[in-house]
Amino acid sequence: MAGIATYILAGELALGRVLAGDLPRTAFPPRLLQTAPEAWFRLAAGALSFAGVYAGRQDRVACLANLCQAVLATGQGRLAAAGEWVLNEKRLTERAGLDAIQDRLAQPGPDLDALVSDVRARLGLDDPVWAVRPAG
């Protein structure tokens, strides 16, 4: 849903189970530790912005899809910031400490604007490109 990280093969090598022989274990590279979180958080902030647009149009499916992408991308960013490899999205929200948002999305309610605001507050993203600007 959030996309596959370009560095997944390095993660597979770092975490994979070797059936025979030895393979080097790849540590989470310092440069990736610097760049991956920002890229994931920017993707998440963009998805939140689009979710707000779709909420205004009462397009539930597109709104919820973008909220889900925002949560998963934030999870990827949090784990990248911690230097933890993510190979798939199984238990991603749990590993990233986002379980409460998952519960909130399970019961979105009728007010999409309130839902987007709630998820935005819980994710706590601050991205200058996707900053919410006052109308006017």
Side-chain angles (χ1 to χ4, degrees), residues 111-135:
D111 187 345
L112 294 177
D113 289 320
L115 177 64
V116 171
S117 292
D118 187 23
V119 171
R120 184 184 313 279
R122 290 174 189 231
L123 292 181
L125 298 172
D126 182 25
D127 186 287
V129 171
W130 292 105
V132 176
R133 292 175 181 81

Side-chain angles (χ1 to χ4, degrees), residues 4-82:
I4 295 174
T6 57
Y7 48 85
I8 195 166
L9 293 177
E12 288 278 3
L13 180 60
L15 300 176
R17 191 171 123 222
V18 179
L19 299 178
D22 287 322
L23 286 174
R25 296 292 178 186
T26 304
F28 207 89
R31 181 76 175 132
L32 191 57
L33 196 61
Q34 290 177 329
T35 59
E38 181 181 347
W40 285 113
F41 293 147
R42 178 145 300 154
L43 175 67
L48 270 175
S49 180
F50 287 119
V53 169
Y54 290 119
R57 296 178 183 167
Q58 292 303 301
D59 186 337
R60 290 186 72 74
V61 172
C63 178
L64 291 170
N66 277 277
L67 287 175
C68 290
Q69 183 180 33
V71 171
L72 292 171
T74 299
Q76 288 271 10
R78 284 184 178 187
L79 294 173

Side-chain angles (χ1 to χ4, degrees), residues 70-114:
V71 171
L72 292 171
T74 299
Q76 288 271 10
R78 284 184 178 187
L79 294 173
E84 292 185 36
W85 295 107
V86 175
L87 304 182
N88 57 51
E89 293 170 344
K90 295 177 187 126
R91 295 184 31 243
L92 176 59
T93 55
E94 177 185 328
R95 287 179 56 201
L98 298 169
D99 318 42
I101 296 175
Q102 181 166 273
D103 295 340
R104 176 68 172 98
L105 289 173
Q107 306 258 346
D111 187 345
L112 294 177
D113 289 320

